[in-house]
Structure formats: C-alpha cells, structure tokens
Amino acid sequence: MPASRYTYLGPEGTFTEAALRTLPEAATRELVPMVSVPAALDAVRNGEAAAALVPIENSVEGGVTATLDELATGAPLMIYREVLLRIAFALLVRPGTQLSDIKTVTGHPVAQPQVRNWLAAHLPDALWESSASNADGARLVQEGRYDAAFAGEFAAATYGLEPLVKDIHDAQNAQTRFVLAGRPARPSARTGSDRTSLVVWLGDDHPGALLELLQEFAARGVNLMRIESRPTGEGMGRYCFSVDCEGHITDRRVGEALMGLKRTFPKVRFLGSYPRAGADAASPLRPGTSDSAFVSAAEWVARCADGGAA
C-alpha cells in the first residue's frame, strides 16, 4: 500500500538508502529504489508512496540541484524530516582488479569533488564519467562498463564487487543532508531546534531586490542557514531563491518573516518546518526576537491604539 511505502534515490546500495535506514520508521516501510530524484518525488506526488528520501545538500559540493529544482516546481511537497550522514567512499572493483588496471572510474557527479585530490594522487590518468548514483556506478562496474566506482563500502556485496581502497575523502567529516518529503500537511510540532525551508521568487530585477528578501529575516532576528539562487527557466537573469532558516513557522519571528515575504514577493513556496538533525540546541535568540517579545510588542500597540498609556 502507498501509505507504507517510501521511495528513495536508488538503486540499492546508495548513500540515500543508508540514510533512510537510519529512520526508525524505515523498519516498517517498504523501501522502493527509484532511478532519479524526480522519479522518487513524483511517486509521492502521484500517490504511489507516502514519502521520499532524497539528498539536498553536501558539505563539500553544496546544494543538490536536482532536488532543489524539483521541490521548487510541480505539485507542492513538504519536508518532514532531515538526516545527516557522514560520507566516505570506497573504490569498488571487480574481484582481482588492481589499482594499475583501472583506466575508467564512475560515480555520482556530487562525489567527484569529494575525491578529486585522491584521484589526482592515485589515478591521475583515469577517465571519470558520471553515473546516475554511486550505487548505479557500482552496477555499471559489475556489468564491465567501468573499471571502478566510488560508492559506499556497503554497496560492494550487493553488486559482487570488492572495496580496493576504503575511507576515501578529500575533506574530513564530509556530510550529506537528506530530506524526507511528503504531500503537504500540518508541519511536525516545534522542537526548539528546527529548520524552515522555502522558495522565494523575485518579482522583478531591480537594485536591492535580494536585500529586500534578506531584510525580512534580519529585521526579525531570523538566522539564515542556507540561501542559493536557482534559474527559473523563464529567461536569463530570472532566478528564485532556495532558503533555509533557523526556527519553526509557529515561532513568531519566523511566521512574521514569512508574512513579510508573502506581502513583498509575488510567489513564496513553503517547504516545511521540521526538526534539525545533528543539532542539540537552537542558536541563542537576539534580544527582542522571542515569542514573548513579539506578544509584548503587539500588546503595546493595542494599548496605544486603544488610548492607553504608551
């Protein structure tokens, strides 16, 4: 049944599957690999799955554009959970392959910047070609189309390969952030350590347009955790902005920032408020930005309007 089915960026053996399996509810769901991020999310839109786990951001390469663009377009979806996973690669080969035998390597495009220095030092003449996912690269090695693939060590057994080299990473403690997206519904309850995601479209290109967006957050003491521009496809110079901010939509400062954005910009898509992964506590609030401060200020305005003492 769709309610018990989660999709993810496949095939079997991807880091996305590993991240999905860290969620307690994954043990009671049917986990279905899909060929791409759009396919995983479309299964949710079409009612074929309750939710999809997809990568959205890497600490080395930045945003995963396929996910950012899919969440910004098509029927709306909402993010309900996030997962952080440490990323280290293994060089997977067919049994008997030596390092000197490797002439071609493959992996997901996001993997290449994370192993570039290792490749230059150990396989400087190897030809890199990208694959749909790291696990798909392992499958292509199994089929003999490439000599080696950068993937999770856990994928080796699935594809009958061997990890020739383990724990490969150019950056220590590299992480990828994954999000669990489902159809729109009430956000999960505020935890005190939350993230809110949205997409904002600028109405027209004019001096200070981006500043106007930023000021809606700054004036209310809302900390931005990520902001990046993405082309809308409507012509050169036409962009939307993918934004993550600290806090929950039910926090007064966040809710009022979203109201300001909705008043100022022609289109804002709310992508959810959800618990932050790997964060023990929220950042300290700036003076005047707590819920009680907003309530107190509103009461003061009401007293002024009612003729009370200012």
Side-chain angles (χ1 to χ4, degrees):
M1 297 293 294
S4 64
R5 182 180 300 143
Y6 282 1
T7 56
Y8 66 91
L9 175 61
E12 294 182 19
T14 59
F15 286 109
T16 309
E17 181 188 9
L20 178 56
R21 291 188 181 279
T22 68
L23 298 179
E25 60 266 37
T28 61
R29 301 293 194 275
E30 177 190 3
L31 307 184
V32 181
M34 306 298 283
V35 297
S36 65
V37 166
L41 294 175
D42 281 345
V44 179
R45 291 185 171 109
N46 298 335
E48 299 167 7
L53 194 83
V54 291
I56 194 168
E57 181 183 10
N58 177 265
S59 61
V60 176
E61 183 66 359
V64 179
T65 56
T67 300
L68 297 178
D69 293 345
E70 278 297 311
L71 291 175
T73 58
L77 294 172
M78 272 181 55
I79 299 170
Y80 293 95
R81 296 280 296 275
E82 69 175 14
V83 178
L84 290 178
L85 188 71
R86 180 182 178 271
I87 304 296
F89 296 92
L91 188 68
L92 303 187
V93 300
R94 293 181 294 277
T97 302
Q98 302 298 314
L99 203 62
S100 58
D101 300 327
I102 298 174
K103 307 302 180 187
T104 57
V105 295
T106 189
H108 190 274
V110 174
Q112 188 178 21
Q114 301 178 67
V115 299
R116 184 183 293 117
N117 293 336
W118 190 93
L119 265 174
H122 298 90
L123 292 170
D125 298 322
L127 175 66
W128 170 283
E129 291 190 14
S130 295
S131 52
S133 69
N134 296 309
D136 191 56
R139 179 185 63 81
L140 295 173
V141 172
Q142 179 190 45
E143 295 176 355
R145 295 175 59 180
Y146 298 96
D147 298 324
F150 287 97
E153 183 182 347
F154 47 79
T158 301
Y159 296 98
L161 304 177
E162 295 179 348
L164 183 60
V165 184
K166 302 177 183 180
D167 200 28
I168 300 172
H169 47 74
D170 289 349
Q172 290 287 343
N173 302 317
Q175 291 181 309
T176 293
R177 182 166 71 98
F178 302 84
V179 293
L180 186 71
R183 287 179 291 280
R186 184 181 295 273
S188 56
R190 178 172 59 180
T191 68
S193 182
D194 302 290
R195 183 193 303 262
T196 293
S197 297
L198 58 149
V199 185
V200 182
W201 283 258
L202 302 184
D204 60 89
D205 186 15
H206 63 271
L210 177 56
L211 178 61
E212 292 169 4
L213 186 159
L214 298 176
Q215 284 177 330
E216 296 294 342
F217 295 99
R220 298 167 177 87
V222 178
N223 183 40
L224 287 186
M225 307 173 76
R226 181 187 61 83
I227 180 168
E228 54 190 290
S229 62
R230 295 296 305 151
T232 63
E234 298 172 353
M236 294 296 294
R238 301 298 299 273
Y239 293 92
C240 61
F241 287 85
S242 176
V243 179
D244 289 342
C245 71
E246 192 172 28
H248 193 277
I249 191 172
T250 59
D251 294 329
R252 291 290 292 268
R253 65 189 186 281
V254 176
E256 292 207 12
L258 267 59
M259 284 191 287
L261 291 170
K262 187 62 176 175
R263 291 197 326 268
T264 307
F265 298 96
K267 183 178 178 183
V268 180
R269 174 172 284 195
F270 174 64
L271 294 179
S273 292
Y274 47 94
R276 290 172 58 191
D280 296 328
S283 301
L285 295 180
R286 295 181 61 195
T289 64
S290 66
D291 278 9
S292 61
F294 276 92
V295 170
S296 177
E299 291 173 347
W300 175 80
V301 170
R303 287 197 305 272
C304 292
D306 201 34

